[in-house]
Amino acid sequence: MKSYFMTRYDIILYGATGFTGQRAAAYLQEHAPMSVRWAIAGRNEKKLLNLKRELNLNVDALVADATNEEDIDILVQQTQVLMTTVGPYALYGSELVRHCAKYGVHYVDITGESPWVRDMLEEYGEIAQATKAKIIPFCGFDSIPADLGVWFLQKYMRETWQSELVEAKAYYTLAGGGLNGGTLLSALNMLEKGEEKRLANPKLLTKDLKHRHFIPKIRNRKKNHYAKEIDKWVYPFFMAEINTKVVYRSIALAAEYNLPHPNQFIYQEYHAIGKRIPALMGTVGMASFGILGQFKPFRSLVKKLGPSSGEGPKETDIEEGFFKLRIVGEDNQGHRAMMTLKYNGDAGNKATICFLCESALALSLDIERLPNYSGFLTPTIAFDSILLERLIAAGLEISCETI
C-alpha cells in the first residue's frame, strides 16, 4: 500500500527518550552521515525536546503514542526506515510492525521476544512481502552475534572445504555493564503471559517455511559441564532460547531462497564462566528464575528490586565491559573450526546500540546493495555481508580458524 504522505525522513528512531533510545540517538548523532535525514520520536514531547537540548540534536522531534493507531499511521508514512527501542515489544511494538508492513517501510528492533515475533509474522508476513517491507527483528545483542557468527562459520566451511556446517556450539564470555529496565520488563512480560512452552519450541520461527524439519531433537542436553574446546566450565546461555530460533530461521530462509544450506543442523549456546561451582550456580539460578517467574509475587519483587524502565548501568560500566563469542562447528565431512567474535563495550547497552543503528543505516545507505528479499527476515538473510562490513568498521573483531 502506497503512503499518502511525502517521505520526510530516511530514519525515524522511536523511543528516543528511553535508556537505550538516548544512546541510539547519540550514536546516530556521531555516526550518521550528514546526508541522512533522521528524526527522534516518542510519546512525551517534553522529554523529546529535553533530549534535543542535552545532545544538541539538529533533528525533528515527533510525538506519537505506540499504542495509538492513528499516531503510528501518520508517523510510519513519513520515513523509509523505522527503528524502535521500546519494549516490551508485545506491548509497544505491534502497531509499529503493522504499519511498516502496510506501507512498505523497513523496520528494525532489538527485541528478544520470539513468541511476539511469531505472532507478528503470522499476522503481517504476507503483507510485508507484498509491500516489499523488510521487517528485521533481533537486531541487538539478541541475536546478531549468534546469527552473524554461524553465518561466518558457514562461509569459512564452504570456502575451505566446500562443505556444510552441521553442528555448532556457541560459548559466550561477558564482562561489565549490566541489565537495563527495558530488557528486564520484556523478560518478565513473557513470563507473565506464560510463553515458556513457545519459547522452548526450537521451530517457533520456522513454522511458515517449507525447510523446517532439519532440526534434530536434542536428547539429554548438557547443563553445566566442562567444554574442552575452550577449557572452561559452561552452562546454558540465558538467551539461547532466543538466539537458536533466529539461527534456525536463517537456515530455513536460505533454503527458501535457494541459497546454500545444510539438510540437518543443530545449534546450542552456553555461557563460558570458567569454574565448576559458578557454572553449577548459573544453571540453578536460571532454572529458579524460570520457575519462580511464573508467580506474580516473584515478578513484582523483581520489578521492585531491578532497574525500572529508563534506567540502566553506569556509563563507565558500559564502556569498560566487553563480550566474546566463540562458536565451535563441525561440517558434514568431519572438519572442525572455531569462529571468534569480539566487541569492546557492554553487550546489552553498547554493542546492542551499535548493531541496531548500523542495521538502520545499512537499510538507508546500502539498500541497493542488499539482497532483494522482503517480509520477516533475519539479520544475515537481510544484510548478507553488508552489515558485517559496517560492524567491522565500527569496532567488531571476527575471525575463523581450523581446529
Side-chain angles (χ1 to χ4, degrees), residues 132-294:
K132 304 299 183 183
K134 298 179 187 290
I135 308 295
I136 317 167
F138 308 110
C139 285
F141 187 59
D142 314 342
S143 299
I144 279 181
D147 198 35
L148 190 61
V150 170
W151 175 88
F152 198 75
L153 190 53
Q154 286 176 315
K155 184 172 180 288
Y156 181 84
M157 296 280 190
R158 289 164 186 157
E159 292 177 351
T160 306
W161 298 295
Q162 297 76 52
S163 61
E164 282 297 331
L165 180 67
V166 295
E167 182 176 357
K169 293 180 180 179
Y171 302 101
Y172 288 85
T173 303
L174 306 175
L179 199 63
N180 65 58
T183 300
L184 178 61
L185 292 174
S186 293
L188 292 173
N189 185 65
M190 282 194 287
L191 286 169
E192 184 177 341
K193 291 192 171 185
E195 297 284 18
E196 297 85 5
K197 187 173 182 180
R198 289 211 291 170
L199 275 169
N201 177 10
K203 299 180 181 180
L204 179 67
L205 296 181
T206 59
K207 290 194 295 183
D208 58 309
L209 302 171
K210 294 177 183 178
H211 186 64
R212 61 178 182 271
H213 302 300
F214 60 90
I215 310 165
K217 290 184 178 180
I218 301 175
R219 295 180 180 176
N220 301 320
R221 183 189 178 195
K222 293 182 179 179
K223 300 297 183 184
N224 56 299
H225 66 280
Y226 176 74
K228 62 181 180 180
E229 300 99 333
I230 61 170
D231 190 27
K232 288 184 182 295
W233 278 83
V234 303
Y235 65 95
F237 192 48
F238 65 98
M239 295 193 316
E241 297 289 17
I242 300 162
N243 296 332
T244 51
K245 294 169 183 58
V246 177
V247 169
Y248 288 150
R249 182 166 179 82
S250 287
I251 291 170
L253 282 171
E256 194 89 353
Y257 300 133
N258 295 315
L259 301 172
H261 63 276
N263 291 319
Q264 186 175 22
F265 182 71
I266 187 168
Y267 177 63
Q268 299 177 69
E269 291 194 334
Y270 297 94
H271 188 170
I273 201 162
K275 303 296 183 181
R276 183 172 190 170
I277 298 302
L280 175 60
M281 292 174 64
T283 302
V284 173
M286 281 183 56
S288 300
F289 187 83
I291 294 169
L292 294 173
Q294 298 175 48

Side-chain angles (χ1 to χ4, degrees), residues 83-131:
M83 54 187 290
T84 172
T85 59
V86 182
Y89 287 86
L91 299 179
Y92 305 112
S94 299
E95 285 297 324
L96 294 169
V97 170
R98 181 163 81 90
H99 285 87
C100 284
K102 177 180 178 181
Y103 292 116
V105 171
H106 306 315
Y107 168 97
V108 288
D109 69 24
I110 52 173
T111 190
E113 301 164 53
S114 42
W116 170 74
V117 174
R118 175 78 249 167
D119 294 340
M120 294 295 97
L121 197 163
E122 290 180 356
E123 290 190 55
Y124 310 120
E126 291 184 3
I127 298 171
Q129 286 188 326
T131 63

Side-chain angles (χ1 to χ4, degrees), residues 294-311:
Q294 298 175 48
F295 299 97
K296 186 175 180 180
F298 177 79
R299 295 195 302 269
S300 298
L301 179 63
V302 172
K303 285 181 182 179
K304 184 177 180 180
L305 297 178
S308 60
S309 179
E311 294 181 345

